[in-house]
Amino acid sequence: MSLMRIDRFISERSEYTRNEIKNLVSRKLITADGIVIKKSDMKVNPDTVKVIVNGNEIRNQKYRYIILNKPDGYISSTSENDGISVMRLLPESLRTKDMFPVGRLDKDSLGLLLITNDGELAHRILAPNRHVSKIYIVKLAQSFKSEYINLFKNGLELADGYQCMPAVVSGSELSEKLAFIELHEGKYHQVKRMFSAVGNHVEVLMRISVGGLILPETLGFGEHMELLHKNVESLFSEPDFNLLCSKFSGKFSAKLINNRS
Ligand code: URA
């Protein structure tokens, strides 16, 4: 059994800084297993301890995994240098300093964004050699053309000369301007640049899956849900592209066209 300092235990699982914890200790506002803590360097067993700070229990789970349905207008970053962070959409209890979005969706893009404090998992998802699948639904300015299917499959060349990996695209039966695309890489503005390369333009883009993790239909824009670690492992399974397309064609497509925020 390895023990840890209670101030470290709390700061890793909440927004409290070590100084704030010290102050709360001096005001007798922290208990561990029902006993008032007198010193912030007291050791606890992180596997079993129940810590209450100012009346609220500190969740004893080191890693947290949140699915956010990102709305338009938020940036996928913890810093706010270029706009309002997606982190603002989470309640304070989930906005701890170690949480960050995994990968980027553009400011005007919508859909599935994973937010976690598990750096190792983020690295596994983003590692270029893993080629984790990402599926998007897009609303195009011009109608989808069946010739795109082979062009994307053979690997498009973008305007800057970048040679894309093969990608799968398919039109939607709901509207000739809706399409689905599956990528196994994630370059800057990639989906938008791929459709530009075939003379089209992406007006709205929504990510609906990352690996085997699929955006729940019940999650409205700006809403989030917490995942359990065991569900996170599904990230590394391959989704069925055709099944997802048919599943998302109706309800989500309508949402995409009519209600972006
Ligand atoms: N490709 C884009 O062009 N934008 C995104 O946000 C994601 C993929």
Side-chain angles (χ1 to χ4, degrees):
M1 172 182 73
S2 70
L3 298 178
M4 76 192 285
R5 287 171 58 128
I6 191 154
D7 53 358
R8 182 168 155 221
F9 176 93
I10 297 170
S11 72
E12 280 182 357
R13 291 161 180 76
S14 71
E15 283 201 295
Y16 294 113
T17 62
R18 296 264 180 130
N19 272 342
E20 285 167 341
I21 295 165
K22 209 169 171 179
N23 180 274
L24 287 158
V25 167
S26 69
R27 290 160 58 208
K28 300 190 172 44
L29 288 172
I30 301 182
T31 62
D33 295 329
I35 296 165
V36 175
I37 299 297
K38 299 204 175 80
K39 289 177 82 183
S40 54
D41 63 357
M42 204 195 99
K43 297 271 189 5
V44 292
N45 178 351
D47 297 330
T48 58
V49 71
K50 182 173 170 179
V51 176
I52 311 268
V53 177
N54 211 3
N56 297 314
E57 182 169 352
I58 300 292
R59 273 179 64 110
N60 194 359
Q61 184 188 330
K62 190 163 176 195
Y63 294 128
R64 308 191 82 172
Y65 307 92
I66 312 297
I67 291 186
L68 174 73
N69 186 357
K70 181 191 169 302
D72 187 4
Y74 289 81
I75 54 161
S76 312
S77 159
T78 49
S79 96
E80 297 210 315
N81 293 342
D82 298 316
I84 304 172
S85 163
V86 286
M87 301 305 289
R88 296 244 193 174
L89 296 162
L90 302 183
E92 263 185 38
S93 60
L94 290 176
R95 241 188 279 156
T96 51
K97 46 193 173 297
D98 53 350
M99 296 285 277
F100 60 93
V102 180
R104 288 191 176 228
L105 280 176
D106 298 335
K107 188 173 178 183
D108 60 356
S109 296
L110 316 168
L112 177 59
L113 190 63
L114 182 69
I115 298 176
T116 185
N117 54 355
D118 184 343
E120 197 189 313
L121 180 103
H123 179 73
R124 277 167 72 201
I125 296 170
L126 299 175
N129 57 352
R130 283 223 169 227
H131 304 305
V132 171
S133 147
K134 294 170 203 91
I135 300 179
Y136 303 85
I137 176 169
V138 289
K139 183 186 171 199
L140 299 168
Q142 326 282 337
S143 298
F144 180 85
K145 296 196 181 108
S146 55
E147 70 199 50
Y148 293 170
I149 295 173
N150 273 335
L151 288 169
F152 280 65
K153 189 168 136 196
N154 295 334
L156 280 176
E157 185 175 323
L158 301 184
D160 63 357
Y162 177 74
Q163 185 66 47
C164 296
M165 287 173 59
V168 187
V169 274
S170 125
S172 157
E173 71 271 19
L174 193 89
S175 156
E176 57 193 21
K177 291 191 176 167
L178 283 180
F180 294 89
I181 173 166
E182 179 176 27
L183 297 186
H184 288 91
E185 57 182 341
K187 300 284 177 238
Y188 182 66
H189 288 339
Q190 186 160 354
V191 174
K192 292 173 183 164
R193 292 196 292 145
M194 287 171 93
F195 280 100
S196 301
V198 293
N200 211 319
H201 173 74
V202 171
E203 288 185 341
V204 188
L205 180 154
M206 179 158 104
R207 184 157 67 195
I208 56 177
S209 70
V210 175
L213 200 64
I214 297 163
L215 184 66
E217 293 204 18
T218 48
L219 213 58
F221 290 124
E223 291 178 357
H224 70 276
M225 62 176 273
E226 189 153 6
L227 290 177
L228 296 175
H229 192 274
K230 62 179 195 294
N231 298 333
V232 169
E233 280 307 310
S234 74
L235 270 161
F236 300 99
S237 62
E238 274 288 303
D240 181 326
F241 181 73
N242 291 324
L243 197 76
L244 251 192
C245 296
S246 56
K247 185 169 173 240
F248 276 83
S249 280
K251 207 168 149 198
F252 257 61
S253 315
K255 206 169 174 183
L256 186 70
I257 300 164
N258 302 323
N259 176 17
R260 302 178 48 174
S261 50

